[in-house]
Amino acid sequence: MRTALTELTGVRHPIVQTGMGWVAGPRLVSATANAGALGILASATMTVEQLRAAVREVKSRTAAPFGVNLRADAGDARDRVRVIIDEGVRVASFALAPSRELIAELKDAGVVVIPSIGARRHAEKVAAWGVDAVLVQGGEGGGHTGEVATTVLLPQVVDAVDIPVIAAGGFYDGRGLVAALAYGAAGVAMGTRFLLTSDSTVPDAVKARYLAASVKDVTVTTRVDGLPHRMLRTELVADLEKSGRVASLTRAVRHAAAFRRISGMGWRQMARDGLAMRHGKDLTWSQVLLAANTPMMLKSAMVDGRPEAGVMASGQVTGLIDDLPSCAELVDRVMTEATKTLDHLHAEPEPEPEPGPGFSPSGD
């Protein structure tokens, strides 16, 4: 199935595995790439050198194209861009709009630039800056999210820009891919569906929590970092919703200290990154600290296997997922179902039966 996305990135299928922190590591990305989809390596939870090592590990596992996801507001974003260029990574994706300068630097090196956006005006802005495509996430998607549903946001963006649009938020099967193509998208991006594969390194106990969840077990809260964040309801989320300012600040400082040890970042850089994530919002200092070290809260569940002590970003589709296929099985299933759906839509209708002897339109 050739679309503007497959032509742009060189993958076989118009499917993207999103760059989920602590989840989209070398094993998942290479498995996705070998399956013919676009795997995106998450770099926000890595140091620059860890990122370089992870990129090289993916390259040792696959010769297929893949991408790296960056935080455009990170203090070392330019160093990470240099790794992408030096290592010959095909795609750079961004959780926020990158600057004109970063876009130009990447494009001059032949890297495909695909930022994620959540509003039509954001898509128009980055398109004017020269990005190659945009990934549009509707409110059904996991992690930081907006209020507008994919079915409303996607056609707005498709009509507003002349570059390929990738649809995200609420996709998990071939029917969804066909629906996105019908809206004018060039493909779909899936996070939760790839998290729930056998190639994902997320602990089995955590995957079991996802598989057991219903659609109603997914919530949106602003108490993690001050921004709307879609995730599973967990003990920690419940505590955050009920806790006062002192308890929130104490928890934030503890998590920040742990993230500082792992990332090698100084307190000043962590505070600067946290402030950058405010995006004009009136956040408390505890929320600023949490914004800078939300990765630690994700790590508790996604790496340490402690869902009761961490946050579990999740799209609403988790309530519709009940198995753990490999990436190869998942991509093959999606494409097979998409082909069958298209064949069904294109099938000629059954001819009306010819009236038999004695037939009268009036029923006489």
Side-chain angles (χ1 to χ4, degrees):
M1 185 180 290
R2 297 176 64 181
T3 71
L5 172 61
T6 62
E7 296 295 311
L8 180 65
T9 62
V11 297
R12 298 196 308 274
H13 306 301
I15 300 172
V16 178
Q17 162 254 302
T18 59
M20 302 164 281
W22 301 116
V23 176
R27 191 171 90 180
L28 181 63
V29 172
S30 58
T32 301
N34 284 328
L38 181 64
I40 303 292
L41 186 69
S43 78
T45 55
M46 304 176 186
T47 66
V48 174
E49 288 310 309
Q50 286 171 341
L51 171 60
R52 189 181 298 276
V55 167
R56 291 178 177 176
E57 182 177 347
V58 175
K59 290 166 63 177
S60 73
R61 291 169 175 255
T62 182
F66 67 96
V68 169
N69 180 258
L70 309 173
R71 265 187 49 203
D73 58 356
D76 57 0
R78 188 169 295 279
D79 295 332
R80 295 170 185 269
V81 164
R82 179 47 51 188
V83 171
I84 289 175
I85 293 172
D86 291 346
E87 297 296 331
V89 176
R90 177 63 177 158
V91 175
S93 74
F94 289 87
L96 298 170
S99 66
R100 290 175 183 262
E101 293 73 22
L102 285 183
I103 294 171
E105 185 175 350
L106 287 161
K107 287 179 66 67
D108 286 347
V111 180
V112 175
V113 180
I114 308 178
S116 297
I117 58 96
R120 180 179 63 185
R121 68 181 185 278
H122 299 155
E124 293 171 333
K125 179 177 72 173
V126 295
W129 288 358
V131 302
D132 298 286
V134 288
L135 190 153
V136 179
Q137 178 174 306
E140 301 94 322
H144 290 120
T145 191
E147 299 177 351
V148 182
T150 304
T151 51
V152 176
L153 179 60
L154 178 58
Q156 280 188 325
V157 175
V158 168
D159 291 344
V161 299
D162 295 324
I163 55 178
V165 176
I166 304 161
F171 298 101
Y172 71 106
D173 64 2
R175 296 171 299 174
L177 172 56
V178 172
L181 296 176
Y183 273 112
V188 296
M190 305 187 297
T192 306
R193 178 64 276 196
F194 275 102
L195 183 157
L196 294 173
T197 60
S198 60
D199 293 305
S200 163
T201 58
V202 172
D204 290 342
V206 176
K207 290 179 182 178
R209 284 284 293 265
Y210 277 98
L211 292 176
S214 71
V215 173
K216 293 185 178 181
D217 291 325
V218 185
T219 187
V220 175
T221 182
T222 60
R223 294 304 299 269
V224 171
D225 56 14
L227 301 173
H229 207 139
R230 186 175 292 283
M231 58 186 64
L232 289 188
R233 300 180 190 275
T234 64
E235 292 83 346
L236 176 60
V237 173
D239 288 345
L240 288 172
E241 293 283 358
K242 294 183 296 184
S243 61
R245 180 170 297 183
V246 173
S248 295
L249 183 58
T250 301
R251 182 184 287 107
V253 171
R254 186 173 68 250
H255 281 290
F259 185 57
R260 179 174 176 269
R261 289 193 298 271
I262 289 178
S263 67
M265 295 170 62
W267 286 108
R268 181 173 298 179
Q269 183 178 348
M270 288 181 62
R272 184 171 61 247
D273 285 359
L275 288 168
M277 293 179 70
R278 292 175 69 164
H279 310 303
K281 300 291 193 302
D282 184 20
L283 305 185
T284 65
W285 274 107
S286 62
Q287 289 171 323
V288 169
L289 278 171
L290 284 168
N293 67 87
T294 297
M296 284 306 300
M297 304 175 78
L298 289 164
K299 178 179 178 293
S300 292
M302 300 300 145
V303 178
D304 301 337
R306 301 173 59 218
E308 76 285 351
V311 297
M312 303 168 68
S314 176
Q316 286 182 305
V317 296
T318 192
L320 306 177
I321 297 171
D322 59 7
D323 64 349
L324 299 171
S326 68
C327 288
E329 291 167 340
L330 172 61
V331 171
D332 180 68
R333 179 195 302 175
V334 170
M335 296 311 303
T336 298
E337 186 176 20
T339 300
K340 289 181 178 179
T341 302
L342 287 170
D343 289 344
H344 175 73
L345 292 173
H346 291 157
E348 293 186 6
E350 292 290 330
E352 292 291 332
E354 292 292 333
F359 173 81
S360 172
S362 64
D364 295 336

